[in-house]
Amino acid sequence: MARKPKDVAKAAAARPVSRLPVASRAPEAMADGRELRVLVMSHADPRVSKGGAEISAFQMYRELGTRPGIRTFFISASAGRFSERLGVRLIQPFEANEYVYVGGGYDHFIHSNPDPEFPAEFMTLLRDIRPDVVHLHHYANFGVEVFYQIRRAVPEARIVLTLHEYLAVCNHFGQMVKKPNFAPCYASGLRDCARCFPERTEQDFFLRDLFLKRFFRLVDHFVSPSRFLAERYIAWGIEADRISVIENGMPVTLRAAEGADAYEEDIEEGLVFGFFGQISRLKGIAVLFEAADLLAKEGISNIRIDVHGDASSQPPEFRKDFEERLAKAPVNIRYCGPYDNVRVHGLMRSVHAVLIPSIWWENSPLVIQEALLNRRPVICSDIGGMAEKVRNGVDGFHFHAGSGWSLAALLKRLAKEPHRLARLRDGLAVPSTVTETVSATLALYDSLKPARRSADASEVAPHDPAPVAANRAQPGVVL
Amino acid sequence: MLKKAGVSVAPKPAAAEHGYVDFHGYGTAAGGWLFCGWSTQRWADDLPPGAVVAHFERGQLSADVITCWHDRPDIADRGMGVVIFLAATGRSLGEFLALEIATPAGTLRIVAARTLHHLREADLVGRARPLLVNGLGVGRSRLLALLSRQVYDGSSTLGRLPVPLHLAVDETVLVPPDGLLLIGWFVDPTSSVSSIRLRSGRGLSDPLGQRWIRTERGDIVEALAPKYGAVDRRCGFVAYAPASVAEEGGLYLEVELVNGEIGYENVPQPVRRGLAAIRRVLECVDLPPDELEPAFDKVLGPSLVAVNRARLTAERRATEITFGEPPAEPVCSVIIPLYGRMDFAMYQLALLSEHGFERHELIFVLDDPPRKRELLDLAHSAYARFGLPFRTVLLEENLGFAPANNVGLTYARGEYICFLNSDIMPKEPRWLDLMIEDLQADPTLGIVGGLLLFEDGTVQHDGLAFERLPQFGNWPFPKHPGKGRRLQQGTGIQRMEAVTGACMTLSRAVANELGGFDEDYVTGDFEDSDLCLRLKARGLGAAVDARAVLYHLERQSQVTPDRRWRMYVSLLNAWTHTRRWFRGASPQRGKEGARP
């Protein structure tokens, strides 16, 4: 069953208009026959960095480029991974229409980029490129001021921002878990945020909020890969009708996978559950060890947990803790080491179900899509993006987030009745493809222009983007 | 000056003259002038102060007098020898001419002998002492005691006095032009001291006890209690000796005992100046409410205001650096002093850039010179990012809130001025235009403030009203009605007694006529209220426009020992403010418009 992107529940309630038409209605060129010029921006470059956001951004850029009548450009931020060229900020290590911004000094607290050389060079490039749409994945490394620079340089361009994580809402790496105990956090607030960060004051967080929202007001539309993340941003202050949910689909070419299928063996013999991804505290590694211990103590021997992933970029205290746990771990859990992403499908097919025990909310974890693609049910925490993307009893099963006991109990039940897992395979959701994502996104671009113009005329409220819009009617005027 | 030597031959007195002075001079140790000669008439020994006037070429002096008579065989029955002591300062008034002595029987004139000798102190005492030894009357022993005093030779002599006594001056502060604040401690277990005075050159101050604040000195109590039992905790002092420092000569204290004996104590030279000196003084003060007013009237107020004024007399050097092209004829110049946190300016520029600010100019005044580099880097980056032009005025010295704003005023070009704190952030875009429209619409309105909110939306400022605080001398303080509460649905424009200087708009012409903020207020408070009261004195009102809404982060003062002296700076300002506006029937100020 394909999951069609649609409006956020709250937005839909307020405005029962489907903002996102079906893919076939998406325009593949401007109405006047002129080409559509789209600039995709990513906080990092997937050719040197393997995060989900940059991979999604780049896939979208590539897919857009295959559509007739669309001219694409890509700008990523170096994030220290490209060497600088003296005196310039935008370099082209790859293709003619691909740029990398090299510059430093980023302020991670207010997501601001104080680099004084970047704005002028960036705005000159924008005037050369003349994009109709600037679609940003993330704003980190460029700084939220880029929205203003885009507005100043190309006032007619529509600005679309795809959100990843809860960065603007939460200063704790956008994870919305408390410090120092990593308890789940339900909403940001000056007092609560200052309690997590005693070195900052409530006033610092207030300024942070003012600053981020001042620039977020310039974004024409937000895209969230999950409903859950969209709702968190709406609670934070983005108007519900300015945000849509569009899943980051995967490239179709990845659908083929090779290797033996675990389900071809006799699942009555026992079940293998696999963990895939970053081995970190937030990914819930401790929950796995806890569950494995409980199962071992109960003498249950027909369950095994395979941990695939990398802990090398984690803080030293975490790595030490991980190694200690491994040394003491029972035989039912084993560490299989890091893997290259091209092997992920084969590895997933070697397990009966994929475990996602994250203790933070997640957004739309790529590993869910990979599991579904490989027709593996997902056993995940019952919160946030995981609970949204994995329907309990349909795409997999939920357990109580953070509870090794809850996970152990679930696994024990499944080992008793392994066919409960096997039965799910026929009804698993089919993850969306990047083709679908791009079609929905193009429809969004198309819907923005008229919507924005009509809004410009009617709304005059404090902190309304009206003055900016007025300026847009006179191209070339710089605010 | 020693006149040419000669033998004193007693001439016959002329008709209007009742005697002659043969020699005279100034006794520094004794602390007065000594005149030795003879008189045809003897007067009573208990003349009131001022009964004797000494006439010199360039003036006269009159003071307490001690007289001592003695036999003069050379004069035989024509008169008696006399030694007259006037307890006065030793400043030079030129040649001595005559003494006039007002007696119940009439005024007598004792004139300088033709061969008058002006003697140095040692010779003077040497020649006078034998006369006194043979003298008569009550003045004899007092004068002998005075002449037996040691001259200050640069070392403390208190230890040689026959009573236990401790007096130390830890530090002094020069109160320009010629006053001195003394900080120290004083323990007199047997109550033997009658007065302590400051000597400088030939000058002698009034007794310091007249302008004396007691301060706590736990360290002294701890050190001396074993010796004396109980020692008054408030044995420390801050004393003020106005108009007492001579241009030349060292400083020392003269301690006089009840029995007339004196001792000396050293006084360190003043070193600290300006704010450092003000802080040093206020750090040792902690006064109960009933002592506030006299302490400020007599000691702290006049001295520290003078120290602060002297601090601000230096030329104000500043550099202007402009980013972008601000309008040549702005409607309003927004003046923002920067001290401490520079990043507030970045936030202001980011937020003000949202709705355009083309009609107005922004002037940031850096009042924190060590942060120049930080500000310029930030300014460069902020202009590149936000494109909003602005001017920076970089002071070379930290001046404080009022002077920094006043410097900004001299750079301003707008028809209006908005004094704005750096921790104010706009909540809605029309705040400044609204305040200007208010001023344009009502010519009886002199100044408009904004509705300022805390970050949680509660009121920070909705106008100022004065409230007398009994815990602080019952002086009126500007209070913020409604502060910390949800807004009581105030809308539109509301007249108030005053508005905060954190955000206030007025015509530049008026601001210039008033000379900006009054700089007698030290480091940032009360000058806003003072400005509003000066406008009121001209018939111009103050108001808050509740539609002009901004956030005020109101920096939290750190809870450190720092706080108390800052509170006393506020009290100093409150004292100035109260004397100007809330005392007696004439609240008019003398120095309006004059600006150093």
Side-chain angles (χ1 to χ4, degrees):
Chain A
M1 187 193 88
R3 286 163 150 273
K4 286 270 162 55
K6 54 182 174 185
D7 271 15
V8 178
K10 281 189 182 173
R15 271 167 43 109
V17 179
S18 173
R19 184 177 281 287
L20 299 176
V22 292
S24 62
R25 275 180 51 209
E28 303 212 329
M30 303 281 274
D32 56 9
R34 195 167 62 80
E35 64 184 359
L36 181 72
R37 302 168 75 86
V38 180
L39 166 63
V40 176
M41 292 175 67
S42 168
H43 72 300
D45 197 291
R47 288 161 287 199
V48 294
S49 163
K50 295 295 177 197
E54 53 266 37
I55 290 170
S56 300
F58 196 67
Q59 285 169 355
M60 170 180 279
Y61 157 71
R62 280 278 166 86
E63 174 66 20
L64 280 165
T66 65
R67 306 290 175 102
I70 296 182
R71 183 89 179 271
T72 51
F73 304 87
F74 188 72
I75 304 181
S76 61
S78 153
R81 291 168 192 264
F82 292 84
S83 44
E84 293 189 30
R85 308 282 183 202
L86 279 181
V88 295
R89 288 295 186 268
L90 291 161
I91 59 172
Q92 291 190 289
F94 303 110
E95 303 285 333
N97 53 352
E98 297 174 6
Y99 303 83
V100 175
Y101 161 57
V102 282
Y106 188 72
D107 182 340
H108 288 273
F109 181 61
I110 54 172
H111 297 288
S112 168
N113 178 7
D115 180 355
E117 309 307 325
F118 174 62
E121 201 171 322
F122 177 57
M123 289 194 289
T124 302
L125 178 66
L126 287 171
R127 289 184 190 109
D128 291 344
I129 292 176
R130 288 174 288 110
D132 299 296
V133 175
V134 181
H135 191 146
L136 300 100
H137 281 255
H138 245 306
Y139 35 85
N141 299 331
F142 294 114
V144 290
E145 303 94 332
V146 283
F147 308 136
Y148 189 45
Q149 287 144 23
I150 296 164
R151 192 59 86 221
R152 287 162 72 195
V154 282
E156 296 281 355
R158 284 153 278 170
I159 301 175
V160 176
L161 172 64
T162 295
L163 299 164
H164 298 266
E165 298 128 7
Y166 310 87
L167 268 190
V169 186
C170 172
N171 185 47
H172 193 191
F173 305 109
Q175 311 281 1
M176 294 198 80
V177 291
K178 301 277 191 187
K179 278 185 76 180
N181 61 2
F182 284 46
C185 171
Y186 290 84
S188 63
L190 302 183
R191 237 182 317 271
D192 287 344
C193 291
R195 201 167 294 149
C196 278
F197 293 88
E199 69 277 18
R200 307 267 186 191
T201 64
E202 289 182 37
Q203 295 173 346
D204 291 331
F205 279 98
F206 179 67
L207 287 170
R208 178 185 190 274
D209 217 50
L210 286 183
F211 187 82
L212 290 174
K213 285 176 178 164
R214 178 258 180 274
F215 293 102
F216 268 41
R217 280 190 285 274
L218 296 169
V219 175
D220 291 288
H221 206 80
F222 296 88
V223 173
S224 166
S226 72
R227 221 173 253 110
F228 185 83
L229 181 124
E231 276 159 15
R232 286 288 166 101
Y233 270 93
I234 290 165
W236 176 69
I238 294 179
E239 301 87 333
D241 60 356
R242 285 174 66 213
I243 189 162
S244 298
V245 176
I246 302 177
E247 178 62 279
N248 287 319
M250 296 175 62
V252 188
T253 49
L254 290 180
R255 287 195 170 187
E258 291 162 8
D261 191 322
Y263 280 93
E264 288 164 13
E265 296 157 21
D266 187 358
I267 61 171
E268 303 287 353
E269 296 293 307
L271 290 174
V272 182
F273 297 92
F275 171 93
F276 298 86
Q278 280 284 332
I279 293 172
S280 73
R281 186 173 170 188
L282 284 169
K283 291 287 181 186
I285 282 299
V287 180
L288 292 188
F289 281 106
E290 213 180 299
D293 260 344
L294 288 167
L295 294 169
K297 278 180 187 147
E298 286 190 43
I300 293 164
S301 57
N302 58 349
I303 291 174
R304 198 181 78 214
I305 298 171
D306 285 354
V307 177
H308 299 271
D310 192 4
S312 63
S313 60
Q314 297 302 311
E317 319 83 73
F318 175 83
R319 290 209 308 269
K320 184 163 168 278
D321 178 69
F322 177 62
E323 273 152 29
E324 283 170 8
R325 281 177 190 272
L326 269 184
K328 285 187 289 184
V331 292
N332 61 2
I333 182 164
R334 59 174 194 153
Y335 177 49
C336 310
Y339 60 94
D340 190 290
N341 210 52
V342 297
R343 289 180 58 222
V344 72
H345 304 286
L347 291 173
M348 280 192 173
R349 289 183 180 215
S350 72
V351 303
H352 294 106
V354 172
L355 285 170
I356 307 181
S358 295
I359 57 168
W360 77 289
W361 309 98
E362 296 280 4
N363 169 22
S364 177
L366 190 62
V367 69
I368 294 180
Q369 296 188 52
E370 288 167 340
L372 296 175
L373 194 62
N374 290 297
R375 299 171 50 71
R376 288 298 179 274
V378 178
I379 311 295
C380 67
S381 306
D382 59 351
I383 56 168
M386 296 170 286
E388 174 187 331
K389 301 289 180 185
V390 177
R391 294 165 297 174
N392 194 18
V394 179
D395 302 315
F397 295 101
H398 296 172
F399 66 92
H400 188 57
S403 167
W405 188 88
S406 172
L407 175 59
L410 174 62
L411 297 186
K412 204 164 64 184
R413 280 200 304 279
L414 292 175
K416 258 184 210 155
E417 307 171 73
H419 292 286
R420 283 182 65 194
L421 260 189
R423 271 204 301 274
L424 295 183
R425 299 182 73 216
D426 292 336
L428 293 180
V430 176
S432 47
T433 65
V434 70
T435 314
E436 289 162 336
T437 302
V438 163
S439 296
T441 304
L442 283 170
L444 171 68
Y445 296 164
D446 191 51
S447 72
L448 284 181
K449 212 152 106 187
R452 182 168 181 91
R453 290 212 169 127
S454 66
D456 292 347
S458 61
E459 294 168 41
V460 178
H463 287 327
D464 171 88
V468 173
N471 197 48
R472 290 176 65 200
Q474 314 158 43
V477 176
V478 175
L479 280 179
Chain B
M1 180 181 71
L2 187 63
K3 290 190 114 183
K4 67 177 180 200
V7 181
S8 169
V9 178
K12 229 181 164 154
E17 291 156 1
H18 305 92
Y20 290 91
V21 172
D22 298 321
F23 63 92
H24 78 299
Y26 186 76
T28 309
W33 290 89
L34 206 61
F35 301 93
C36 299
W38 60 278
S39 169
T40 54
Q41 321 235 343
R42 184 171 170 174
W43 58 84
D45 285 353
D46 56 345
L47 286 177
V52 175
V53 177
H55 292 270
F56 293 83
E57 259 181 339
R58 292 198 301 274
Q60 58 183 53
L61 51 87
S62 165
D64 285 1
V65 60
I66 303 172
T67 314
C68 178
W69 301 97
H70 57 90
D71 283 332
R72 279 280 295 258
D74 57 323
I75 297 159
D77 54 355
R78 282 189 291 156
M80 283 193 84
V82 65
V83 177
I84 300 161
F85 178 79
L86 281 178
T89 60
R91 70 200 161 101
S92 174
L93 294 169
E95 266 186 59
F96 169 68
L97 303 175
L99 295 172
E100 277 184 356
I101 297 118
T103 69
T107 300
L108 306 176
R109 269 172 63 79
I110 311 282
V111 301
R114 198 167 46 81
T115 55
L116 175 80
H117 291 211
H118 187 158
L119 302 180
R120 282 202 187 106
E121 186 157 5
D123 297 334
L124 180 74
V125 174
R127 282 182 63 175
R129 195 191 296 272
L131 304 177
L132 294 169
V133 169
N134 297 316
L136 315 160
V138 293
R140 175 180 173 270
S141 59
R142 285 177 66 199
L143 268 176
L144 278 172
L146 279 175
L147 293 188
S148 67
R149 287 176 174 179
Q150 297 290 316
V151 178
Y152 175 67
D153 64 359
S155 54
S156 168
T157 63
L158 296 185
R160 292 182 219 155
L161 292 173
V163 292
L165 186 61
H166 304 270
L167 173 65
V169 179
D170 301 325
E171 185 161 354
T172 59
V173 170
L174 182 69
V175 179
D178 55 2
L180 195 73
L181 278 164
L182 302 99
I183 299 166
W185 57 278
F186 172 52
V187 175
D188 173 17
T190 53
S191 301
S192 302
V193 172
S194 68
S195 76
I196 303 171
R197 297 168 192 250
L198 176 70
R199 279 203 174 271
S200 169
R202 284 186 162 186
L204 181 68
S205 75
D206 289 335
L208 295 182
Q210 293 174 7
R211 294 173 181 272
W212 179 283
I213 299 174
R214 299 193 298 155
T215 63
E216 288 201 8
R217 285 296 293 263
D219 55 333
I220 303 300
V221 174
E222 213 170 288
L224 294 184
K227 190 170 176 188
Y228 299 118
V231 173
D232 183 359
R233 232 190 134 65
R234 296 177 74 197
C235 59
F237 67 85
V238 175
Y240 177 37
S244 57
V245 178
E247 278 179 27
E248 289 167 23
L251 296 166
Y252 59 97
L253 290 183
E254 182 182 297
V255 179
E256 183 169 358
L257 301 187
V258 179
N259 70 6
E261 283 189 75
I262 63 163
Y264 302 111
E265 183 52 58
N266 302 329
V267 170
Q269 285 291 320
V271 176
R272 269 186 250 231
R273 307 163 70 167
L275 290 177
I278 292 173
R279 177 175 182 163
R280 175 68 179 91
V281 173
L282 292 180
E283 268 174 347
C284 53
V285 176
D286 194 10
L287 295 159
D290 62 309
E291 292 178 22
L292 273 180
E293 184 135 325
F296 274 92
D297 281 350
K298 286 191 185 329
V299 180
L300 300 174
S303 62
L304 297 183
V305 166
V307 170
N308 188 52
R309 277 186 194 163
R311 169 180 85 89
L312 297 170
T313 50
E315 190 199 345
R316 292 166 187 190
R317 282 171 305 168
T319 315
E320 181 183 355
I321 299 180
T322 299
F323 294 83
E325 286 181 31
E329 293 180 358
V331 176
C332 183
S333 299
V334 180
I335 298 168
I336 305 169
L338 294 173
Y339 183 86
R341 279 183 69 167
M342 297 296 114
D343 63 330
F344 286 145
M346 190 281 291
Y347 285 109
Q348 288 185 319
L349 289 165
L351 297 173
L352 291 173
S353 69
E354 180 164 9
H355 300 287
F357 213 66
E358 298 86 351
R359 300 167 62 218
H360 312 301
E361 69 168 354
L362 285 163
I363 303 173
F364 290 100
V365 182
L366 177 68
D367 193 25
D368 199 347
R371 294 184 188 269
K372 181 160 88 172
R373 181 59 191 261
E374 183 187 349
L375 175 64
L376 290 179
D377 286 350
L378 181 148
H380 179 47
S381 163
Y383 179 64
R385 285 185 281 162
F386 313 131
L388 184 63
F390 57 94
R391 304 165 72 189
T392 60
V393 175
L394 312 164
L395 292 172
E396 290 186 11
E397 249 186 296
N398 168 229
L399 295 178
F401 180 79
N405 271 305
N406 290 348
V407 170
L409 183 57
T410 65
Y411 284 83
R413 295 184 291 224
E415 191 186 343
Y416 294 90
I417 292 294
C418 174
F419 292 118
L420 193 74
N421 280 12
S422 63
D423 55 356
I424 297 258
M425 304 292 156
K427 183 177 191 301
E428 54 74 49
R430 296 197 59 222
W431 61 278
L432 187 55
D433 293 333
L434 285 169
M435 294 200 280
I436 292 168
E437 283 165 22
D438 294 335
L439 290 168
Q440 288 168 337
D442 183 352
T444 69
L445 194 55
I447 195 158
V448 182
L451 170 63
L452 307 183
L453 303 178
F454 284 114
E455 56 272 19
D456 65 357
T458 56
V459 172
Q460 192 276 331
H461 166 268
D462 191 13
L464 302 179
F466 297 106
E467 184 185 326
R468 288 187 178 269
L469 298 183
Q471 68 273 37
F472 295 129
N474 215 29
W475 296 332
F477 282 70
K479 303 295 283 182
H480 292 220
K483 184 170 177 175
R485 305 289 179 80
R486 298 274 145 203
L487 184 63
Q488 296 299 311
Q489 216 39 56
T491 50
I493 187 153
Q494 176 94 30
R495 291 274 181 158
M496 294 299 293
E497 287 183 87
V499 295
T500 178
C503 174
M504 49 165 54
T505 304
L506 69 163
S507 124
R508 180 163 66 99
V510 171
N512 276 329
E513 274 174 50
L514 295 176
F517 287 116
D518 192 295
E519 299 179 359
D520 273 356
Y521 298 97
V522 182
T523 67
D525 64 329
F526 285 91
E527 55 279 271
D528 46 4
S529 147
D530 179 275
L531 187 71
C532 295
L533 291 170
R534 282 190 283 153
L535 284 162
K536 187 178 169 191
R538 297 175 163 229
L540 293 170
V544 169
D545 190 335
R547 300 167 303 166
V549 192
L550 303 99
Y551 292 108
H552 188 190
L553 304 185
E554 196 190 59
R555 282 173 239 188
Q556 308 286 318
S557 47
Q558 307 290 316
V559 184
T560 59
D562 221 32
R563 256 184 104 187
R564 201 177 69 193
W565 84 271
R566 288 191 179 282
M567 186 189 86
Y568 275 92
V569 170
S570 277
L571 288 173
L572 174 63
N573 292 337
W575 174 81
T576 303
H577 186 254
T578 306
R579 274 197 334 157
R580 292 234 168 108
W581 300 108
F582 295 91
R583 183 176 280 187
S586 90
Q588 290 299 321
R589 295 155 29 86
K591 63 183 280 279
E592 189 166 289
R595 193 70 40 200

